[in-house]
Amino acid sequence: MLTDTHVHLNAPQFDEDRQEVIQRAFDNGISRMINVGFNRETIPSSIALAEQYECIYSTVGWHPQDAKDMTPEDLEWIEQLCRHPKVVAIGEIGLDYYWDTSPKDVQDVVFRQQIRLARKLGMPIAIHNRDAHHDIIQVLREEKAAEVGGVMHCFSGSWETAKQCLDMNFYISFGGPVTFKNAKQPKEVLDKVPLDRLLIETDAPYLTPHPYRGKRNETAYVKLVAEAAAQIKGLTLEEIAQITTQNAIRLFDLK
Ligand SMILES: [Zn+2]
Ligand SMILES: [Zn+2]
């Protein structure tokens, strides 16, 4: 019983074989998937998937890369969709200083608006952070994100940063990179994250784990992430599956 807490099953990379990909996830023991809707195109298709499959849930939010396109109407739209029974979090939201497709000050405003919305609605938030550790922590702190908590998706920061997130009621989620031989830091951080705050994900079709690195990622491979986590924590695959699934159920209030 595994849970993929961050996946993009509505991405065009799955247009040819989406149903088979979801079936392979079931066949590999993945019982719940949280699909991410993060802009005007992906929000409706993510919700449609969640309506089609009982075990798929959806987030809604505005990605920092698209921050410059978000209008006040979009924010109202997100607020309305948060009342949908299959919507479980606001995300992915945050800051992305790697691609830099939206100006930093615009990303900052859009990020803060969505944290305020999450606090108003009492929804957890899913955080995307690329090369922005310092500013992410500062915004989360200033906007009192600890009130709702959430998840740091595909965490890539230091233990120092992880600790600050844990202090603000966040879970730490790990993906494919913890399976890479040379990924020292994520493995060290995973080792230190308390078991009751640990989540796993694929971020498929991106961030494919070893030994499929370079190919398209898919939800079934969350098992490889779970195996790596089990090895690092000195637990069995079954124990890690149960712990991370219970954590996901608690954070996202899943069935
Ligand atoms: Zn992301
Ligand atoms: Zn993502």
PDB file of all heavy atoms in Angstrom, residues 5-25:
ATOM      1  N   THR A   5       2.575  10.968  -3.543  1.00  0.00           N
ATOM      2  CA  THR A   5       1.980  12.231  -3.082  1.00  0.00           C
ATOM      3  C   THR A   5       2.182  13.412  -4.034  1.00  0.00           C
ATOM      4  O   THR A   5       1.743  14.526  -3.726  1.00  0.00           O
ATOM      5  CB  THR A   5       2.529  12.641  -1.691  1.00  0.00           C
ATOM      6  OG1 THR A   5       3.942  12.835  -1.796  1.00  0.00           O
ATOM      7  CG2 THR A   5       2.202  11.605  -0.643  1.00  0.00           C
ATOM      8  N   HIS A   6       2.834  13.174  -5.181  1.00  0.00           N
ATOM      9  CA  HIS A   6       3.018  14.289  -6.123  1.00  0.00           C
ATOM     10  C   HIS A   6       3.291  13.727  -7.508  1.00  0.00           C
ATOM     11  O   HIS A   6       4.366  13.194  -7.773  1.00  0.00           O
ATOM     12  CB  HIS A   6       4.181  15.187  -5.666  1.00  0.00           C
ATOM     13  CG  HIS A   6       4.306  16.463  -6.447  1.00  0.00           C
ATOM     14  ND1 HIS A   6       4.082  17.709  -5.883  1.00  0.00           N
ATOM     15  CD2 HIS A   6       4.637  16.697  -7.737  1.00  0.00           C
ATOM     16  CE1 HIS A   6       4.267  18.637  -6.801  1.00  0.00           C
ATOM     17  NE2 HIS A   6       4.617  18.053  -7.934  1.00  0.00           N
ATOM     18  N   VAL A   7       2.304  13.843  -8.389  1.00  0.00           N
ATOM     19  CA  VAL A   7       2.465  13.287  -9.728  1.00  0.00           C
ATOM     20  C   VAL A   7       1.679  14.134 -10.730  1.00  0.00           C
ATOM     21  O   VAL A   7       0.696  14.796 -10.376  1.00  0.00           O
ATOM     22  CB  VAL A   7       2.014  11.798  -9.763  1.00  0.00           C
ATOM     23  CG1 VAL A   7       0.568  11.630  -9.358  1.00  0.00           C
ATOM     24  CG2 VAL A   7       2.266  11.155 -11.126  1.00  0.00           C
ATOM     25  N   HIS A   8       2.139  14.107 -11.988  1.00  0.00           N
ATOM     26  CA  HIS A   8       1.478  14.850 -13.074  1.00  0.00           C
ATOM     27  C   HIS A   8       0.964  13.857 -14.112  1.00  0.00           C
ATOM     28  O   HIS A   8       1.491  13.789 -15.229  1.00  0.00           O
ATOM     29  CB  HIS A   8       2.468  15.828 -13.706  1.00  0.00           C
ATOM     30  CG  HIS A   8       3.022  16.838 -12.746  1.00  0.00           C
ATOM     31  ND1 HIS A   8       2.400  18.028 -12.485  1.00  0.00           N
ATOM     32  CD2 HIS A   8       4.136  16.821 -11.972  1.00  0.00           C
ATOM     33  CE1 HIS A   8       3.103  18.719 -11.595  1.00  0.00           C
ATOM     34  NE2 HIS A   8       4.168  18.003 -11.263  1.00  0.00           N
ATOM     35  N   LEU A   9      -0.036  13.084 -13.738  1.00  0.00           N
ATOM     36  CA  LEU A   9      -0.593  12.072 -14.661  1.00  0.00           C
ATOM     37  C   LEU A   9      -1.340  12.699 -15.828  1.00  0.00           C
ATOM     38  O   LEU A   9      -1.604  12.029 -16.829  1.00  0.00           O
ATOM     39  CB  LEU A   9      -1.532  11.132 -13.901  1.00  0.00           C
ATOM     40  CG  LEU A   9      -0.863  10.188 -12.897  1.00  0.00           C
ATOM     41  CD1 LEU A   9      -1.905   9.612 -11.941  1.00  0.00           C
ATOM     42  CD2 LEU A   9      -0.120   9.069 -13.616  1.00  0.00           C
ATOM     43  N   ASN A  10      -1.707  13.967 -15.699  1.00  0.00           N
ATOM     44  CA  ASN A  10      -2.407  14.654 -16.787  1.00  0.00           C
ATOM     45  C   ASN A  10      -1.424  15.287 -17.784  1.00  0.00           C
ATOM     46  O   ASN A  10      -1.854  15.936 -18.735  1.00  0.00           O
ATOM     47  CB  ASN A  10      -3.358  15.718 -16.227  1.00  0.00           C
ATOM     48  CG  ASN A  10      -2.679  16.654 -15.238  1.00  0.00           C
ATOM     49  OD1 ASN A  10      -1.624  16.333 -14.677  1.00  0.00           O
ATOM     50  ND2 ASN A  10      -3.264  17.815 -15.005  1.00  0.00           N
ATOM     51  N   ALA A  11      -0.131  15.095 -17.578  1.00  0.00           N
ATOM     52  CA  ALA A  11       0.872  15.671 -18.492  1.00  0.00           C
ATOM     53  C   ALA A  11       0.764  15.019 -19.867  1.00  0.00           C
ATOM     54  O   ALA A  11       0.388  13.852 -19.979  1.00  0.00           O
ATOM     55  CB  ALA A  11       2.274  15.449 -17.913  1.00  0.00           C
ATOM     56  N   PRO A  12       1.127  15.775 -20.929  1.00  0.00           N
ATOM     57  CA  PRO A  12       1.027  15.224 -22.295  1.00  0.00           C
ATOM     58  C   PRO A  12       1.879  13.971 -22.488  1.00  0.00           C
ATOM     59  O   PRO A  12       1.564  13.155 -23.363  1.00  0.00           O
ATOM     60  CB  PRO A  12       1.512  16.377 -23.188  1.00  0.00           C
ATOM     61  CG  PRO A  12       2.066  17.422 -22.279  1.00  0.00           C
ATOM     62  CD  PRO A  12       1.525  17.181 -20.915  1.00  0.00           C
ATOM     63  N   GLN A  13       2.928  13.789 -21.687  1.00  0.00           N
ATOM     64  CA  GLN A  13       3.780  12.592 -21.797  1.00  0.00           C
ATOM     65  C   GLN A  13       2.990  11.304 -21.578  1.00  0.00           C
ATOM     66  O   GLN A  13       3.453  10.224 -21.902  1.00  0.00           O
ATOM     67  CB  GLN A  13       4.924  12.651 -20.767  1.00  0.00           C
ATOM     68  CG  GLN A  13       6.014  13.656 -21.083  1.00  0.00           C
ATOM     69  CD  GLN A  13       5.757  15.029 -20.503  1.00  0.00           C
ATOM     70  OE1 GLN A  13       4.618  15.433 -20.288  1.00  0.00           O
ATOM     71  NE2 GLN A  13       6.814  15.771 -20.249  1.00  0.00           N
ATOM     72  N   PHE A  14       1.782  11.417 -20.972  1.00  0.00           N
ATOM     73  CA  PHE A  14       0.966  10.226 -20.706  1.00  0.00           C
ATOM     74  C   PHE A  14      -0.245  10.126 -21.635  1.00  0.00           C
ATOM     75  O   PHE A  14      -1.112   9.276 -21.425  1.00  0.00           O
ATOM     76  CB  PHE A  14       0.508  10.219 -19.240  1.00  0.00           C
ATOM     77  CG  PHE A  14       1.630  10.120 -18.237  1.00  0.00           C
ATOM     78  CD1 PHE A  14       1.871  11.144 -17.338  1.00  0.00           C
ATOM     79  CD2 PHE A  14       2.453   8.996 -18.207  1.00  0.00           C
ATOM     80  CE1 PHE A  14       2.914  11.056 -16.414  1.00  0.00           C
ATOM     81  CE2 PHE A  14       3.499   8.895 -17.289  1.00  0.00           C
ATOM     82  CZ  PHE A  14       3.725   9.932 -16.389  1.00  0.00           C
ATOM     83  N   ASP A  15      -0.313  10.991 -22.641  1.00  0.00           N
ATOM     84  CA  ASP A  15      -1.501  11.008 -23.498  1.00  0.00           C
ATOM     85  C   ASP A  15      -1.736   9.676 -24.224  1.00  0.00           C
ATOM     86  O   ASP A  15      -2.868   9.293 -24.473  1.00  0.00           O
ATOM     87  CB  ASP A  15      -1.406  12.144 -24.534  1.00  0.00           C
ATOM     88  CG  ASP A  15      -1.786  13.499 -23.915  1.00  0.00           C
ATOM     89  OD1 ASP A  15      -2.258  13.498 -22.746  1.00  0.00           O
ATOM     90  OD2 ASP A  15      -1.599  14.535 -24.572  1.00  0.00           O
ATOM     91  N   GLU A  16      -0.656   8.992 -24.562  1.00  0.00           N
ATOM     92  CA  GLU A  16      -0.783   7.755 -25.347  1.00  0.00           C
ATOM     93  C   GLU A  16      -1.242   6.564 -24.503  1.00  0.00           C
ATOM     94  O   GLU A  16      -1.853   5.637 -25.025  1.00  0.00           O
ATOM     95  CB  GLU A  16       0.574   7.396 -25.977  1.00  0.00           C
ATOM     96  CG  GLU A  16       1.189   8.489 -26.818  1.00  0.00           C
ATOM     97  CD  GLU A  16       0.736   8.434 -28.269  1.00  0.00           C
ATOM     98  OE1 GLU A  16       1.098   7.459 -28.953  1.00  0.00           O
ATOM     99  OE2 GLU A  16       0.008   9.355 -28.697  1.00  0.00           O
ATOM    100  N   ASP A  17      -0.877   6.555 -23.232  1.00  0.00           N
ATOM    101  CA  ASP A  17      -1.074   5.326 -22.438  1.00  0.00           C
ATOM    102  C   ASP A  17      -1.451   5.600 -20.977  1.00  0.00           C
ATOM    103  O   ASP A  17      -1.081   4.831 -20.089  1.00  0.00           O
ATOM    104  CB  ASP A  17       0.203   4.474 -22.487  1.00  0.00           C
ATOM    105  CG  ASP A  17       1.413   5.186 -21.903  1.00  0.00           C
ATOM    106  OD1 ASP A  17       1.334   6.411 -21.655  1.00  0.00           O
ATOM    107  OD2 ASP A  17       2.443   4.529 -21.680  1.00  0.00           O
ATOM    108  N   ARG A  18      -2.178   6.691 -20.737  1.00  0.00           N
ATOM    109  CA  ARG A  18      -2.490   7.090 -19.359  1.00  0.00           C
ATOM    110  C   ARG A  18      -3.138   5.960 -18.549  1.00  0.00           C
ATOM    111  O   ARG A  18      -2.765   5.710 -17.413  1.00  0.00           O
ATOM    112  CB  ARG A  18      -3.399   8.327 -19.384  1.00  0.00           C
ATOM    113  CG  ARG A  18      -3.668   8.936 -18.026  1.00  0.00           C
ATOM    114  CD  ARG A  18      -4.265  10.329 -18.157  1.00  0.00           C
ATOM    115  NE  ARG A  18      -3.306  11.292 -18.674  1.00  0.00           N
ATOM    116  CZ  ARG A  18      -3.336  11.829 -19.891  1.00  0.00           C
ATOM    117  NH1 ARG A  18      -4.297  11.521 -20.737  1.00  0.00           N
ATOM    118  NH2 ARG A  18      -2.410  12.685 -20.273  1.00  0.00           N
ATOM    119  N   GLN A  19      -4.102   5.303 -19.167  1.00  0.00           N
ATOM    120  CA  GLN A  19      -4.831   4.257 -18.442  1.00  0.00           C
ATOM    121  C   GLN A  19      -3.912   3.102 -18.026  1.00  0.00           C
ATOM    122  O   GLN A  19      -4.007   2.589 -16.922  1.00  0.00           O
ATOM    123  CB  GLN A  19      -5.960   3.721 -19.325  1.00  0.00           C
ATOM    124  CG  GLN A  19      -7.231   3.497 -18.539  1.00  0.00           C
ATOM    125  CD  GLN A  19      -8.348   3.017 -19.444  1.00  0.00           C
ATOM    126  OE1 GLN A  19      -8.433   3.442 -20.609  1.00  0.00           O
ATOM    127  NE2 GLN A  19      -9.179   2.140 -18.939  1.00  0.00           N
ATOM    128  N   GLU A  20      -3.008   2.717 -18.935  1.00  0.00           N
ATOM    129  CA  GLU A  20      -2.061   1.639 -18.624  1.00  0.00           C
ATOM    130  C   GLU A  20      -1.114   2.053 -17.500  1.00  0.00           C
ATOM    131  O   GLU A  20      -0.767   1.241 -16.646  1.00  0.00           O
ATOM    132  CB  GLU A  20      -1.228   1.278 -19.863  1.00  0.00           C
ATOM    133  CG  GLU A  20      -1.980   0.515 -20.930  1.00  0.00           C
ATOM    134  CD  GLU A  20      -2.492   1.412 -22.046  1.00  0.00           C
ATOM    135  OE1 GLU A  20      -3.088   2.480 -21.736  1.00  0.00           O
ATOM    136  OE2 GLU A  20      -2.311   1.069 -23.221  1.00  0.00           O
ATOM    137  N   VAL A  21      -0.709   3.328 -17.534  1.00  0.00           N
ATOM    138  CA  VAL A  21       0.204   3.834 -16.497  1.00  0.00           C
ATOM    139  C   VAL A  21      -0.469   3.754 -15.132  1.00  0.00           C
ATOM    140  O   VAL A  21       0.135   3.316 -14.145  1.00  0.00           O
ATOM    141  CB  VAL A  21       0.635   5.283 -16.829  1.00  0.00           C
ATOM    142  CG1 VAL A  21       1.292   5.961 -15.630  1.00  0.00           C
ATOM    143  CG2 VAL A  21       1.575   5.284 -18.032  1.00  0.00           C
ATOM    144  N   ILE A  22      -1.741   4.136 -15.076  1.00  0.00           N
ATOM    145  CA  ILE A  22      -2.483   4.093 -13.813  1.00  0.00           C
ATOM    146  C   ILE A  22      -2.704   2.641 -13.387  1.00  0.00           C
ATOM    147  O   ILE A  22      -2.565   2.296 -12.216  1.00  0.00           O
ATOM    148  CB  ILE A  22      -3.805   4.881 -13.946  1.00  0.00           C
ATOM    149  CG1 ILE A  22      -3.486   6.377 -14.155  1.00  0.00           C
ATOM    150  CG2 ILE A  22      -4.687   4.699 -12.705  1.00  0.00           C
ATOM    151  CD1 ILE A  22      -4.663   7.234 -14.570  1.00  0.00           C
ATOM    152  N   GLN A  23      -2.977   1.779 -14.347  1.00  0.00           N
ATOM    153  CA  GLN A  23      -3.138   0.353 -14.039  1.00  0.00           C
ATOM    154  C   GLN A  23      -1.834  -0.234 -13.483  1.00  0.00           C
ATOM    155  O   GLN A  23      -1.854  -0.992 -12.511  1.00  0.00           O
ATOM    156  CB  GLN A  23      -3.583  -0.404 -15.302  1.00  0.00           C
ATOM    157  CG  GLN A  23      -3.944  -1.863 -15.049  1.00  0.00           C
ATOM    158  CD  GLN A  23      -5.045  -2.034 -14.007  1.00  0.00           C
ATOM    159  OE1 GLN A  23      -6.077  -1.368 -14.058  1.00  0.00           O
ATOM    160  NE2 GLN A  23      -4.817  -2.903 -13.016  1.00  0.00           N
ATOM    161  N   ARG A  24      -0.699   0.141 -14.071  1.00  0.00           N
ATOM    162  CA  ARG A  24       0.599  -0.356 -13.572  1.00  0.00           C
ATOM    163  C   ARG A  24       0.841   0.122 -12.143  1.00  0.00           C
ATOM    164  O   ARG A  24       1.428  -0.590 -11.339  1.00  0.00           O
ATOM    165  CB  ARG A  24       1.739   0.117 -14.476  1.00  0.00           C
ATOM    166  CG  ARG A  24       2.072  -0.855 -15.583  1.00  0.00           C
ATOM    167  CD  ARG A  24       3.481  -0.650 -16.117  1.00  0.00           C
ATOM    168  NE  ARG A  24       3.663   0.650 -16.768  1.00  0.00           N
ATOM    169  CZ  ARG A  24       3.262   0.913 -18.032  1.00  0.00           C
ATOM    170  NH1 ARG A  24       2.675  -0.009 -18.756  1.00  0.00           N
ATOM    171  NH2 ARG A  24       3.459   2.108 -18.542  1.00  0.00           N
ATOM    172  N   ALA A  25       0.364   1.319 -11.841  1.00  0.00           N
ATOM    173  CA  ALA A  25       0.489   1.825 -10.461  1.00  0.00           C
ATOM    174  C   ALA A  25      -0.297   0.910  -9.518  1.00  0.00           C
ATOM    175  O   ALA A  25       0.228   0.459  -8.503  1.00  0.00           O
ATOM    176  CB  ALA A  25      -0.005   3.260 -10.380  1.00  0.00           C
TER     177      ALA A  25
END
